């Protein structure tokens, strides 16, 4: 996939992850894109390491599922770090 595809996938995966885990999160569109792009990388790594699944093309359901899973993992970690820094 090209860089534009990663950005679009990251934006949408980040938005879906935030919709699945609602709550107050600082950061706007840029943080959501970075969260989603990072999630795509984390999801790809998790899929490859644990499930022996590779990321497919942009329209492949596995790609989207792994990207959203990775974005959820990063969102949980992001909230834990933010919660710890507020205490």
């Amino acid at each position: 996939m090209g860089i534009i595809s990663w950005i679009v996938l990251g934006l949408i995966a980040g938005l879906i992850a935030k919709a699945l885990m609602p709550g107050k999160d600082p950061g706007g569109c840029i943080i959501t894109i970075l969260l989603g792009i990072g999630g795509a990388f984390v999801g790809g790594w998790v899929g490859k390491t644990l499930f022996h699944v590779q990321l497919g093309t942009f329209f492949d359901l596995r790609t989207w599922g792994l990207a959203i899973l990775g974005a959820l993992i990063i969102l949980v970690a992001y909230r834990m770090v933010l919660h710890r820094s507020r205490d």
Side-chain angles (χ1 to χ4, degrees), residues 17-66:
K18 279 195 173 188
L20 291 174
M21 289 185 63
K24 275 192 165 178
D25 290 321
C29 186
I30 299 297
I31 297 297
T32 301
I33 291 172
L34 293 175
L35 175 110
I37 292 171
F41 285 114
V42 169
W45 179 79
V46 167
K48 183 178 178 183
T49 304
L50 297 179
F51 305 119
H52 305 291
V53 175
Q54 294 290 331
L55 286 176
T57 61
F58 184 78
F59 295 105
D60 192 358
L61 189 58
R62 287 180 302 188
T63 302
W64 285 92
L66 289 172

